[in-house]
Amino acid sequence: MIHNFNAGPSILPKEVFEEASRAIVDFNNTGLSILEIGHRTPLFENVLNEAVSLIKDLMQLDSNKEVLFLHGGASTQFFQLPMNFLSKEKKASYLDCGVWGTKAIKEAKNFGLVEVVASSEDKNYTYIPTGFEVPIDSSYFHYTTNNTIEGTQMQWIPETSVPLVADMSSDILSREMDFNRFSFIYAGAQKNIGAAGVNLVVADKEFLKQGNENLPSMMDYRVHVANGSMLNTPPVFAIYVCMLTLRWLKKNGGIKAIEEINSKKAELLYSTLEQIPLFQLPVNKADRSFMNAVFTMENPTLEKEFVALCKKEGMVGVEGHRNVGGFRVSLYNALPLSSVEAITDLINAFANKYAS
Amino acid sequence: MIHNFNAGPSILPKEVFEEASRAIVDFNNTGLSILEIGHRTPLFENVLNEAVSLIKDLMQLDSNKEVLFLHGGASTQFFQLPMNFLSKEKKASYLDCGVWGTKAIKEAKNFGLVEVVASSEDKNYTYIPTGFEVPIDSSYFHYTTNNTIEGTQMQWIPETSVPLVADMSSDILSREMDFNRFSFIYAGAQKNIGAAGVNLVVADKEFLKQGNENLPSMMDYRVHVANGSMLNTPPVFAIYVCMLTLRWLKKNGGIKAIEEINSKKAELLYSTLEQIPLFQLPVNKADRSFMNAVFTMENPTLEKEFVALCKKEGMVGVEGHRNVGGFRVSLYNALPLSSVEAITDLINAFANKYAS
């Protein structure tokens, strides 16, 4: 029995793997592999249309929202977004809450003025700043809803009068949210949406109209809208896996239902860790991520032993990000509660052995 | 029995489909799907390293060549290349031989001066211009080795003193070539390399040094080289399918061996069509593509009948590109000779029926 706590690419539903596996040898009884069908055929157009419809349905999007599946990952959006909306005369505001936000800020500076409205760098990104103000002359305000590496998550949506933009790569579709408050949402697919190699973009039609002119075609969101995510050959299989994963989420009750399970998973793990002095939880309690639980251990010898024990028990991906060390247990939508029960049992047994 | 003549995404070897299908449920006996493994683990690093080694081996690349697998398709390279190598002061020269070259030219104009050294637009792109001269003050000279839509292919490598750049999307790995003469080669994977959603780039180290500064990280080839194609989460599965396809090519004798089969396939199809007045071959004979055979029929009623007959016989993808009409039969590496025999039999039978 394998328990996959990878931070991304990460676990997807078993039935998605099974159906995708079948489609590689015979897609929808066509006798063709999903990898060899033309993208401009009803075979693939139906896949893409269903994926778009499922996103609109699951996120309860208004009719003024466009849904795109684009090549690349969130790192592509780090520069594509400011390329579309910044210039020497246009300013954007960013919240700096970790590695990914910092990268987004770095790329935006290539295209225009960037104001960092607040940062939690002073405490190693272990909390989410509050009380910041977003300048009203910003073209947009950008933040990261969940910080995969640092294990923080923003449990509220900032109030701003400027267009709200969020990188939701690591918690999209995991909890109910008023997605319509955002002018622009992007997310790499390889956590809760599907397979690596594709990007979800949800954008306000009016916001897109404010974009810069004379952009490279592949960089202009409006060109992608006009071409229905088919400006060029799309990442066919990655979009197909997204469609299957979205179908699974819908069948299992959608975001509301998965949020309940996600809460149970996070509460079980955090409450277990809180009771054990052997482990430390560095993140401010109110800002803990329900998707990526980060914890540490003071004793490096025990740390190695814990990692070895996890490996022995078939637990994959519990080591922290190479930048921060410690442990990280990711709790994405497809991770079953039983996997969290398995690791909390192991944590308890480990603690009992070393209780002194 | 299905015969897949799709222009891309297109047929891949059956054993690639079978192994990829297994890897979706259990990759290398890990108990994990290839879709849920971490990209910064030996599991994936081995896949990427093997794909890079196979490219170097199959293309017999010098040690001064870098091999990258990047997000997106050739359309991404249409702007990324000039973004790296053009500016208001730098000029590039382009050969215009069809839809894809025209698109590459359009995107390059956003970044610098573009000189079109020759064009075959005057005869609807049915031939490859000769006798053109490339200005020596060009940052590079760009051409398309095979024109997927128009069915032309350049059977020679232009002599230039400036860095040679080629879009080889639709004929890479199909024929022997001195790939080391090129400073920069790019190709969308979804024809002869593997699955859609990834781009192969082969670039000269010295050429890359001449690139512009202060580029977005995701657009700077040198940043991708420094990160070994892992600046961000790569399209894991698409690269895996490339690796399997390259392994298959190597096992079957490499480019030399596949070129022999490809020649037989093209010769059989073209020689069959040449003998039948019912069909026209619009492309100049010396410039015919060995990958995409384009032909037409004067009688629209018979055209429809021919398409219906192909469909009935399990032949997929024989209709011409939506921009040009007529027929197109793609003959990529993975298409067996038996499929070409099947369609030439059908063409002969059709011709006999309507011979008058």
Side-chain angles (χ1 to χ4, degrees):
Chain A
M1 182 69 199
I2 305 247
H3 303 284
N4 186 350
F5 300 109
N6 273 338
S10 49
I11 188 170
L12 292 174
K14 191 160 182 269
E15 64 192 73
V16 169
F17 293 145
E18 287 166 350
E19 187 149 0
S21 174
R22 281 194 296 273
I24 297 269
V25 285
D26 184 6
F27 173 60
N28 282 5
N29 302 313
T30 54
L32 291 167
S33 166
I34 179 82
L35 301 178
E36 63 175 333
I37 62 168
H39 57 293
R40 295 190 195 276
T41 60
L43 287 176
F44 178 68
E45 283 164 358
N46 289 344
V47 168
L48 179 59
N49 292 341
E50 185 174 346
V52 169
S53 294
L54 281 163
I55 285 290
K56 286 182 177 170
D57 178 21
L58 289 163
M59 294 173 75
Q60 298 181 45
L61 299 177
D62 289 344
S63 60
N64 61 341
K65 292 286 189 276
E66 298 284 359
V67 175
L68 298 171
F69 285 92
L70 303 181
H71 285 285
S75 299
T76 312
Q77 295 308 309
F78 290 168
F79 81 92
Q80 188 172 352
L81 174 79
M83 193 180 204
N84 275 262
F85 296 103
L86 285 192
S87 69
K88 279 177 188 160
E89 294 78 38
K90 288 188 202 168
K91 182 171 82 173
S93 295
Y94 277 72
L95 186 65
D96 172 31
C97 283
V99 167
W100 299 114
T102 305
K103 290 193 185 203
I105 289 165
K106 174 175 176 278
E107 300 302 327
K109 284 180 176 168
N110 277 328
F111 296 95
L113 300 167
V114 173
E115 182 167 333
V116 178
V117 297
S119 170
S120 51
E121 196 189 359
D122 59 339
K123 291 187 183 168
N124 219 8
Y125 297 118
T126 54
Y127 73 103
I128 302 287
T130 52
F132 52 83
E133 278 196 28
V134 176
I136 55 165
D137 59 342
S138 309
S139 293
Y140 59 83
F141 168 65
H142 176 285
Y143 77 105
T144 316
T145 51
N146 182 77
N147 296 286
T148 333
I149 294 174
E150 297 81 2
T152 61
Q153 186 176 29
M154 216 145 136
Q155 307 300 349
W156 41 282
I157 299 177
E159 294 286 344
T160 71
S161 58
V162 311
L164 199 54
V165 173
D167 173 1
M168 297 195 183
S169 292
S170 54
D171 69 351
I172 196 162
L173 307 177
S174 72
R175 54 175 175 168
E176 289 196 297
M177 246 178 138
D178 185 356
F179 296 106
N180 290 310
R181 281 181 59 189
F182 294 83
S183 295
F184 194 94
I185 294 167
Y186 65 93
Q190 66 271 16
K191 287 108 165 32
N192 282 334
I193 308 173
V198 68
N199 229 315
L200 172 68
V201 164
V202 174
D204 203 280
K205 287 189 215 292
E206 287 303 313
F207 182 61
L208 293 185
K209 282 185 192 159
Q210 296 160 32
N212 297 325
E213 299 296 329
N214 302 318
L215 296 168
S217 309
M218 280 291 283
M219 294 289 99
D220 190 326
Y221 297 114
R222 292 161 302 201
V223 175
H224 286 290
V225 168
N227 286 276
S229 296
M230 295 257 269
L231 173 60
N232 71 333
T233 310
V236 171
F237 183 73
I239 293 173
Y240 173 68
V241 174
C242 291
M243 186 278 281
L244 293 179
T245 309
L246 295 169
R247 221 188 238 176
W248 167 86
L249 182 56
K250 166 96 175 155
K251 199 182 77 181
N252 285 278
I255 297 181
K256 188 181 165 70
I258 207 77
E259 181 175 11
E260 278 175 32
I261 302 168
N262 287 337
S263 296
K264 271 186 203 155
K265 282 152 45 182
E267 277 159 20
L268 173 59
L269 181 57
Y270 283 121
S271 65
T272 302
L273 288 166
E274 273 177 344
Q275 288 159 22
I276 300 173
L278 213 56
F279 295 100
Q280 288 80 47
L281 288 159
V283 169
N284 182 36
K285 189 164 178 173
D287 304 323
R288 282 178 190 161
S289 167
F290 279 54
M291 290 286 104
N292 314 95
V294 163
F295 52 101
T296 58
M297 209 187 274
E298 272 169 9
N299 183 327
T301 315
L302 284 188
E303 198 172 277
K304 274 181 199 154
E305 198 160 326
F306 184 72
V307 168
L309 188 63
C310 287
K311 198 171 262 179
K312 186 167 156 274
E313 296 295 324
M315 293 176 185
V316 173
V318 300
E319 283 163 291
H321 186 274
R322 65 209 145 93
N323 287 3
V324 295
F327 307 103
R328 173 174 52 177
V329 168
S330 295
L331 308 165
Y332 297 121
N333 285 356
L335 186 86
L337 181 60
S338 57
S339 285
V340 183
E341 287 164 348
I343 199 165
T344 50
D345 287 351
L346 183 140
I347 287 168
N348 282 320
F350 189 83
N352 286 336
K353 187 175 168 190
Y354 292 100
S356 54
Chain B
M1 181 69 197
I2 304 250
H3 302 284
N4 185 351
F5 300 109
N6 273 337
S10 49
I11 188 170
L12 293 175
K14 191 160 181 266
E15 64 193 75
V16 169
F17 293 145
E18 286 166 351
E19 187 150 0
S21 173
R22 282 193 296 274
I24 296 267
V25 285
D26 185 6
F27 173 60
N28 281 5
N29 302 312
T30 55
L32 291 167
S33 166
I34 181 80
L35 300 179
E36 62 174 334
I37 62 167
H39 58 292
R40 295 190 195 277
T41 60
L43 287 176
F44 179 68
E45 282 163 359
N46 290 343
V47 169
L48 180 57
N49 292 339
E50 186 175 346
V52 169
S53 294
L54 283 162
I55 286 290
K56 286 180 177 171
D57 179 20
L58 288 163
M59 294 174 75
Q60 298 183 45
L61 298 177
D62 289 343
S63 59
N64 61 342
K65 292 286 190 275
E66 299 284 0
V67 174
L68 298 171
F69 285 92
L70 303 181
H71 285 284
S75 299
T76 313
Q77 295 308 310
F78 291 169
F79 81 92
Q80 188 172 352
L81 174 79
M83 193 181 205
N84 273 261
F85 296 103
L86 284 191
S87 68
K88 279 178 190 161
E89 293 78 37
K90 290 187 200 168
K91 181 172 83 174
S93 295
Y94 278 71
L95 185 65
D96 171 31
C97 283
V99 168
W100 299 113
T102 305
K103 290 192 186 205
I105 290 164
K106 174 175 175 277
E107 300 302 327
K109 285 181 176 168
N110 277 327
F111 296 95
L113 300 166
V114 173
E115 182 166 335
V116 178
V117 297
S119 170
S120 51
E121 196 188 359
D122 58 341
K123 290 187 183 168
N124 219 11
Y125 296 119
T126 53
Y127 73 103
I128 302 286
T130 53
F132 53 83
E133 277 196 30
V134 177
I136 56 165
D137 60 342
S138 309
S139 293
Y140 60 82
F141 169 65
H142 176 285
Y143 77 106
T144 315
T145 52
N146 183 76
N147 296 286
T148 332
I149 293 175
E150 298 81 3
T152 61
Q153 186 175 30
M154 217 145 136
Q155 308 297 350
W156 41 282
I157 300 177
E159 295 286 344
T160 71
S161 58
V162 311
L164 198 54
V165 172
D167 173 1
M168 297 196 182
S169 292
S170 55
D171 69 352
I172 196 162
L173 307 176
S174 73
R175 53 174 176 170
E176 289 196 298
M177 246 178 139
D178 185 356
F179 296 107
N180 291 309
R181 282 180 59 189
F182 294 84
S183 295
F184 194 95
I185 294 167
Y186 65 91
Q190 66 272 14
K191 285 104 163 43
N192 282 333
I193 308 173
V198 68
N199 228 315
L200 172 69
V201 164
V202 175
D204 202 279
K205 286 190 215 297
E206 287 303 313
F207 182 61
L208 293 185
K209 282 185 191 160
Q210 297 161 30
N212 297 326
E213 299 296 331
N214 302 317
L215 297 167
S217 309
M218 281 291 284
M219 293 290 99
D220 190 327
Y221 297 114
R222 293 161 302 202
V223 175
H224 287 290
V225 168
N227 286 277
S229 297
M230 294 258 269
L231 173 60
N232 71 331
T233 309
V236 171
F237 183 73
I239 293 174
Y240 173 69
V241 174
C242 291
M243 187 278 282
L244 293 179
T245 309
L246 295 168
R247 220 188 240 176
W248 167 86
L249 182 56
K250 166 94 175 156
K251 199 182 77 182
N252 286 279
I255 296 180
K256 189 182 165 69
I258 207 78
E259 181 175 11
E260 280 174 32
I261 302 168
N262 286 337
S263 296
K264 271 187 205 153
K265 281 152 43 183
E267 278 159 21
L268 174 59
L269 181 58
Y270 283 121
S271 65
T272 302
L273 289 165
E274 274 177 345
Q275 290 160 22
I276 300 173
L278 212 56
F279 295 99
Q280 288 78 48
L281 287 160
V283 169
N284 183 34
K285 189 165 180 173
D287 304 322
R288 281 179 190 161
S289 169
F290 280 53
M291 291 285 105
N292 313 95
V294 163
F295 51 101
T296 57
M297 209 187 274
E298 272 169 10
N299 183 329
T301 313
L302 284 188
E303 199 172 276
K304 272 182 201 155
E305 197 159 327
F306 184 71
V307 168
L309 188 62
C310 287
K311 196 171 263 177
K312 186 166 157 273
E313 296 296 321
M315 295 178 184
V316 174
V318 299
E319 282 163 292
H321 186 274
R322 65 211 145 91
N323 289 2
V324 294
F327 307 103
R328 173 173 55 176
V329 167
S330 294
L331 308 165
Y332 298 123
N333 285 354
L335 186 87
L337 180 60
S338 57
S339 285
V340 183
E341 288 164 349
I343 199 166
T344 50
D345 286 351
L346 184 139
I347 287 168
N348 282 321
F350 189 83
N352 287 336
K353 186 174 168 190
Y354 292 101
S356 54

